[in-house]
């Protein structure tokens, strides 16, 4: 019997979306305010979900305190109150879109869990815009 457990976390970060080999005009037209050369912030809401078997002894899929600690250590400590373009090395050459941030969070968290557990990342960049990534 399988169930999905989820932990809601958040972080605040600044970013700028830009494609280096496009002109300034094309970048501004495509990314709009997210291309602001002086950066801008988002209040990111992150939902990390694990799907797996319910342990017959504990009744848990995964310990939520442990999940919270893993997210703090591997994600929040690296992204919270950071300028993603300047402070987080992986985004030096990778546009810090919500899609790419979700993929990077997935890659950081995947090794923390048994491969029998499936992992899904849901990342809200604004209350209305969100991305889901599950490793495909
Ligand atoms: Ni933005």
């Amino acid at each position: 019997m399988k169930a999905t457990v989820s932990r809601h976390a958040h972080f605040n970060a600044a970013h700028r979306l830009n494609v280096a080999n496009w002109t300034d005009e094309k970048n501004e037209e495509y990314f709009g305010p997210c291309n602001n050369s002086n950066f801008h912030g988002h209040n990111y809401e992150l939902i990390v979900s694990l799907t797996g078997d319910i342990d017959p002894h504990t009744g848990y899929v995964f310990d939520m305190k442990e999940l919270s600690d893993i997210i703090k250590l591997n994600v929040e400590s690296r992204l919270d109150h950071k300028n993603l373009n300047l402070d987080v090395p992986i985004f030096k050459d990778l546009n810090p879109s919500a899609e790419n941030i979700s993929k990077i969070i997935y890659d950081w968290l995947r090794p923390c869990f048994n491969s029998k557990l499936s992992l899904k990342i849901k990342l809200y960049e604004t209350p209305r815009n969100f991305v889901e990534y599950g490793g495909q």
Side-chain angles (χ1 to χ4, degrees):
M1 191 168 63
K2 286 184 186 290
T4 299
V5 296
S6 298
R7 173 76 187 176
H8 193 160
H10 79 109
F11 57 91
N12 303 318
H15 77 162
R16 180 194 189 200
L17 298 181
N18 190 65
V19 173
N21 61 8
W22 283 4
T23 62
D24 291 350
E25 292 72 28
K26 189 171 178 185
N27 271 298
E28 198 179 322
E29 190 185 318
Y30 193 82
F31 294 117
C34 274
N35 181 243
N36 178 4
S37 58
N38 290 327
F39 306 98
H40 62 278
H42 289 285
N43 298 317
Y44 291 95
E45 297 291 332
L46 169 65
I47 296 161
V48 176
S49 299
L50 291 170
T51 302
D53 291 321
I54 301 175
D55 184 289
H57 303 291
T58 62
Y60 280 7
V61 170
F62 197 83
D63 183 277
M64 297 303 273
K65 170 75 171 76
E66 199 184 331
L67 179 56
S68 161
D69 290 345
I70 287 170
I71 296 168
K72 278 197 188 95
L73 183 70
N74 294 281
V75 179
E76 291 172 33
S77 71
R78 284 158 143 160
L79 300 182
D80 192 32
H81 286 73
K82 300 287 168 94
N83 179 314
L84 300 179
N85 303 71
L86 302 181
D87 298 329
V88 184
I90 193 109
F91 294 118
K92 215 172 164 50
D93 301 308
L94 181 67
N95 224 12
S97 62
E99 291 87 332
N100 281 335
I101 301 167
S102 302
K103 200 262 177 202
I104 294 306
I105 291 172
Y106 180 94
D107 291 346
W108 285 342
L109 290 177
R110 184 64 266 187
C112 302
F113 307 109
N114 186 304
S115 60
K116 286 183 193 152
L117 290 167
S118 74
L119 172 65
K120 197 181 83 181
I121 304 302
K122 193 172 190 178
L123 183 70
Y124 284 81
E125 190 170 77
T126 72
R128 291 192 177 90
N129 295 341
F130 65 92
V131 169
E132 291 179 290
Y133 183 74
Q136 283 94 47

